[in-house]
Amino acid sequence: MDRVLDEPLTKTLGPATAKVMAEHLDLRTVGDLLHHYPRRYEERGQLTRLAELPLDEHVTVVAQVADARVLTFNGGRGRRLEVTITDGSGRLQLVFFGRGIHRPHKDLLPGTRAMFAGKVSMFNRKLQLAHPTYERLDADSGEGAVSSFAGKLIPIYPACKGLESWKIAKAVDAVLPHATEAVDPLPAALREGRGFVPLPQALLKIHRPQTKADVEDARQRLKWDEAFVLQVALARRRYADAQLPAVARRPVPDGLLDAFDARLPFTLTEGQRQVSAEIFGDLAAEHPMHRLLQGEVGSGKTMVALRAMLTVVDAGGQAAMLAPTEVLAQQHHRSVVEMMGDLAEGGMLGGAERATKVVLLTGSMGAAARRQALLDLVTGEAGIVIGTHALIEDKVQFHDLGLVVVDEQHRFGVEQRDALRGKGKQPPHLLVMTATPIPRTVAMTVFGDLETSVLDQLPAGRSPIASHVVPAADKPHFLARAWERVREEVESGHQAYVVCPRIGDDLDQAAQPAGARRTSPEDEAEKRPPLAVLDVAGQLTAGPLKGLRVEVLHGRMAPDDKDDVMRRFAAGEVDVLVATTVIEVGVNVPNATAMVIMDADRFGVSQLHQLRGRVGRGSAPGLCLLVTEMPEASPARGRLGAVAATLDGCELSRIDLEQRREGDVLGQAQSGVRSSLRVLAVIEDEEIIAAARDEAVSVVTADPDLEGLPELRTALDALLDKDREQYLDKG
């Protein structure tokens, strides 16, 4: 980027404004501010819909004053000014207190139009802005001025406390002349071929459009920049990976894999066969596999991963599987040992002749067991190791690490994967498994350096899950019926989960202020803190589930206690498990058929889908009840209705993404890419991303070091400032 654009904002703007921009909006240079685009545009003749204001967010609205009145309270000692503004779609109350009422009382007369900015809060079940800042739009202007004013597009910028949209607009005015010096990252042939406006022009049009067509031109162009530069970064990663050496691991006839397949009590699904073939093809190459395996909960990902691990062991290497939690590592270990039978008893009497050892390595193991596990790894006695991040410690040495399988990628720091990768003599092959359905475009942006395989059939014998919304506030008898259903499941020999949003001890209260995750303004239920495991368990044992064996499970229990509860639940010694989302990933109890999710509106769509996948894992059908106190017409209820209506994870993840801001899509763990998506919407812009990916691949294949494209290199360096470069490197 040009040197002018690298200048700190402190040179151009006042120190106070520059400080707020740096601290709250992460804008530090002239270039950063030029790329801080308006979120939307108001036409002066048209208003934001007051009816759709989000709670707890800083908003800017354009509206007209309907009425204003001063009220007294505290026996006449206190005064407050209440102003009602309207925009045709709804009304909103503004409130000013104390000395702060004099100026607005003069300025905001009925009929006045203005821009108002503040944080939306709730008072007496009504939305309001307390002490908003405002800027009048019709101040002392003649008729002519008003009409020219009415047709203009007002840019509304993503703002924050202390920096309203119009202040940001003034700051942008100060730096906009520098837009002419922006370096254009798109290769000329691509830009002309697709008929894009040059970058300086796009920046002018997005910040100060004359018409809606200007906004559209600019957005298309800027979206392409983002998609293309990001895809070039990823294409270069894939290209560099393809140059790395790796030991090819080819299947060996009559080895462990054949012995394992021969004793499988069922046939693999078509999907499992196909994905296995893709993986075996990658393992046989002389450069490291980088593959993302996505599959619904229960689609048999572990089986596919295990067959890949056995292939590597057959070829003389070792395989490591990384799980995000101890409970999960132990579970994977148990299920792998069960699936392998005596093939997992290498070196033991009664082990099969082609057997290997399968060891578990977690942080809380006893010293002796740990010493033995480490020894088995370094000698190569253990072909397969399953563990938590304890696997990554310096002390852990492998004989010949050939494959790393990472479970639930988004819970794993990139550094951790990297450290494990460094333990092979040459980079090991990498298989990342996730049960979170990821729409194709997100896979292309977030996991763009991984090839993707999808398992989309459920294995034979898995039962469908019926899901229903239980509106506890509108229909309390529905909730009573829900507990009866749980009793019925237990009486017929099954087990159930009850999931709550929090644990319910004091620590937890401090961590999450009541109502911190409000989803919608329409309900008093929002005011109370989310239901807690410890409280709910107490109420159930004393009330509707009296006499059943109810236990609790949450993240703040000691690891041994957690394992003990899980073990007893798996063994059928516990009827109902009241838990937080610690059960979201990987808990496998085929006998559990029912799940009741309390305050279901406080969970995300994908998370609900993930939780629901814990029931119906055996031959009996599953039942999932989503309990909520949200009123019928609320967006939160709509979301729950969507979850109840479909079991298709990909469909739900689209709904989830459309409802969340794009920034969360990539999640905090993906922060490397998150901050760089400004106008690109991962869901809507599927075609742009796919086309940009193709263009990026051809550019990188022709010129891997981008020697002929210095501007693109510059843009890439700006995108991949140090920490992001590292992020992508470790992807």
Side-chain angles (χ1 to χ4, degrees):
M1 215 166 243
D2 195 275
R3 278 192 296 279
V4 180
L5 300 197
D6 286 339
E7 277 194 358
L9 285 169
T10 41
K11 279 190 166 178
T12 319
L13 311 173
T17 307
K19 184 172 186 241
V20 177
M21 283 195 172
E23 283 175 8
H24 293 287
L25 299 171
D26 199 23
L27 305 175
R28 298 168 199 284
T29 66
V30 169
D32 288 346
L33 182 53
L34 284 174
H35 288 291
H36 185 70
Y37 310 130
R39 179 174 283 169
R40 54 190 169 79
Y41 303 85
E42 288 296 355
E43 288 173 76
R44 296 200 160 138
Q46 243 190 0
L47 309 172
T48 335
R49 294 178 53 78
L50 291 181
E52 291 162 10
L53 288 181
L55 196 58
D56 280 342
E57 279 195 31
H58 285 277
V59 298
T60 301
V61 296
V62 178
Q64 190 158 9
V65 176
D67 66 69
R69 53 202 178 133
V70 175
L71 304 171
T72 57
F73 56 94
N74 270 355
R77 287 197 299 282
R79 297 169 72 215
R80 76 171 181 272
L81 168 67
E82 285 184 1
V83 177
T84 305
I85 58 173
T86 174
D87 72 345
S89 78
R91 297 164 82 81
L92 178 66
Q93 190 141 40
L94 315 178
V95 48
F96 301 87
F97 294 100
R99 295 225 176 95
I101 75 174
H102 302 307
R103 203 184 127 222
H105 196 203
K106 282 210 308 277
D107 288 347
L108 301 177
L109 302 170
T112 308
R113 295 183 39 133
M115 284 199 278
F116 300 92
K119 187 172 178 183
V120 184
S121 57
M122 254 319 227
F123 183 71
N124 277 343
R125 304 194 77 152
K126 281 209 193 80
L127 289 183
Q128 68 166 21
L129 296 180
H131 279 280
T133 48
Y134 58 88
E135 183 139 296
R136 287 188 298 180
L137 292 180
D138 48 3
D140 323 318
S141 43
E143 274 309 297
V146 171
S147 60
S148 74
F149 186 87
K152 250 176 103 179
L153 291 171
I154 307 172
I156 303 289
Y157 288 92
C160 64
K161 187 176 174 7
L163 206 57
E164 296 86 1
S165 171
W166 55 85
K167 286 190 185 156
I168 296 174
K170 285 186 178 126
V172 168
D173 284 337
V175 299
L176 207 50
H178 296 306
T180 51
E181 299 169 52
V183 175
D184 201 324
L186 291 191
L190 192 160
R191 189 173 68 233
E192 285 147 21
R194 292 186 176 265
F196 290 135
V197 298
L199 181 58
Q201 209 178 324
L203 289 170
L204 289 171
K205 284 184 166 187
I206 196 137
H207 287 294
R208 298 295 173 261
Q210 298 301 307
T211 61
K212 286 183 172 167
D214 281 354
V215 175
E216 205 31 55
D217 283 356
R219 289 182 73 92
Q220 281 307 97
R221 164 62 222 249
L222 294 165
K223 278 180 179 184
W224 249 92
D225 279 17
E226 273 180 28
F228 179 70
V229 175
L230 182 57
Q231 291 302 337
V232 166
L234 295 166
R236 291 188 68 202
R237 267 267 14 98
R238 290 194 300 272
Y239 182 86
D241 282 341
Q243 314 306 310
L244 286 174
V247 180
R249 311 282 178 176
R250 297 188 179 89
V252 173
D254 300 328
L256 261 173
L257 180 66
D258 287 352
F260 176 76
D261 283 351
R263 54 176 76 192
L264 276 180
F266 50 82
T267 50
L268 296 171
T269 65
E270 191 42 49
Q272 286 174 320
R273 274 181 220 286
Q274 195 185 334
V275 170
S276 288
E278 289 171 0
I279 292 172
F280 292 160
D282 286 357
L283 289 173
E286 307 268 331
H287 57 84
M289 158 168 86
H290 286 114
R291 193 167 278 282
L292 175 69
L293 171 58
Q294 31 178 129
E296 288 285 332
V297 169
S299 57
K301 290 184 302 294
T302 314
M303 170 64 70
V304 168
L306 178 56
R307 294 183 73 237
M309 287 159 66
L310 294 174
T311 303
V312 170
V313 175
D314 273 343
Q318 289 168 294
M321 183 185 234
L322 244 71
T325 62
E326 295 218 350
V327 170
L328 209 55
Q330 282 162 333
Q331 235 182 351
H332 276 315
H333 181 254
R334 252 199 314 273
S335 62
V336 165
V337 170
E338 272 167 26
M339 287 198 255
M340 286 176 64
D342 59 359
L343 294 175
E345 296 175 355
M348 292 189 228
L349 284 171
E353 75 187 272
R354 292 301 316 252
T356 185
K357 256 191 182 178
V358 179
V359 299
L360 176 68
L361 192 62
T362 62
S364 64
M365 283 170 76
R370 189 180 168 81
R371 246 195 328 274
Q372 184 59 50
L374 291 172
L375 189 64
D376 288 341
L377 283 182
V378 77
T379 59
E381 190 84 358
I384 295 178
V385 57
I386 295 170
T388 53
H389 48 265
L391 274 177
I392 293 163
E393 291 169 17
D394 293 342
K395 292 196 282 292
V396 182
Q397 295 296 320
F398 289 86
H399 175 63
D400 177 13
L401 180 61
L403 170 66
V404 176
V405 179
V406 179
D407 186 19
E408 287 300 328
Q409 124 92 27
H410 54 284
R411 293 161 186 258
F412 252 104
V414 168
E415 291 71 29
Q416 296 167 312
R417 263 189 325 203
D418 225 38
L420 194 52
R421 228 188 227 176
K423 291 190 179 288
K425 295 193 171 72
Q426 288 190 339
H429 298 283
L430 174 70
L431 180 65
V432 171
M433 300 197 296
T434 176
T436 312
I438 303 170
R440 182 168 145 260
T441 41
V442 180
M444 284 197 290
T445 39
V446 184
F447 303 108
D449 56 340
L450 299 171
E451 299 298 329
T452 308
S453 298
V454 181
L455 278 174
D456 45 15
Q457 303 161 273
L458 285 186
R462 282 298 296 266
S463 318
I465 304 169
S467 307
H468 303 284
V469 177
V470 177
D474 315 348
K475 303 186 173 147
H477 59 285
F478 274 37
L479 184 58
R481 176 75 190 110
W483 300 125
E484 279 170 27
R485 283 289 292 117
V486 170
R487 259 189 187 290
E488 286 162 16
E489 288 298 314
V490 172
E491 277 157 16
S492 59
H494 297 300
Q495 292 159 280
Y497 298 100
V498 177
V499 182
C500 306
R502 9 173 243 125
I503 298 172
D505 46 26
D506 301 337
L507 280 165
D508 186 68
Q509 295 272 311
Q512 172 150 26
R517 293 248 346 263
R518 292 183 190 154
T519 39
S520 66
E522 48 266 337
D523 196 7
E524 290 296 278
E526 288 295 281
K527 289 246 177 14
R528 65 167 174 73
L531 289 169
V533 166
L534 302 175
D535 309 342
V536 169
Q539 290 157 13
L540 291 176
T541 41
L545 301 186
K546 198 171 178 165
L548 301 187
R549 298 169 299 178
V550 177
E551 294 266 359
V552 300
L553 178 71
H554 58 74
R556 228 175 276 126
M557 288 162 59
D560 294 352
D561 298 346
K562 270 195 275 201
D563 294 338
D564 179 55
V565 171
M566 267 322 302
R567 194 186 47 68
R568 287 186 297 121
F569 187 63
E573 296 162 22
V574 173
D575 298 321
V576 179
L577 189 60
V578 183
T580 54
T581 53
V582 288
I583 61 153
E584 175 185 359
V585 203
V587 173
N588 185 16
V589 179
N591 189 41
T593 52
M595 175 177 286
V596 181
I597 303 180
M598 307 303 290
D599 278 341
D601 46 272
R602 312 236 177 178
F603 298 97
V605 170
S606 293
Q607 197 176 26
L608 290 169
H609 179 60
Q610 201 77 5
L611 284 165
R612 165 171 71 183
R614 300 289 124 222
V615 295
R617 297 177 74 90
S619 48
L623 171 68
C624 177
L625 302 173
L626 306 166
V627 179
T628 176
E629 296 196 358
M630 284 291 140
E632 201 153 350
S634 61
R637 270 285 279 281
R639 271 207 316 274
L640 296 179
V643 174
T646 176
L647 289 170
D648 176 349
C650 271
E651 178 49 34
L652 288 174
S653 71
R654 285 187 85 97
I655 293 170
D656 200 14
L657 287 181
E658 279 156 15
Q659 295 200 336
R660 287 189 293 165
R661 286 272 152 72
E662 212 58 45
D664 310 337
V665 171
L666 309 180
Q668 294 305 312
Q670 263 53 297
S671 61
V673 186
R674 177 174 174 240
S675 43
S676 62
L677 290 189
R678 298 202 165 113
V679 279
L680 196 63
V682 177
I683 285 289
E684 294 135 49
D685 298 326
E686 189 157 337
E687 278 112 56
I688 293 180
I689 293 171
R693 180 174 168 130
D694 294 343
E695 294 271 13
V697 170
S698 50
V699 164
V700 171
T701 313
D703 179 3
D705 291 331
L706 308 180
E707 281 165 4
L709 299 165
E711 297 83 4
L712 177 56
R713 270 215 78 109
T714 310
L716 206 56
D717 296 340
L719 169 78
L720 306 179
D721 48 36
K722 280 299 151 263
D723 50 328
R724 279 194 217 137
E725 172 69 282
Q726 232 179 348
Y727 164 79
L728 281 167
D729 254 359
K730 293 176 175 167

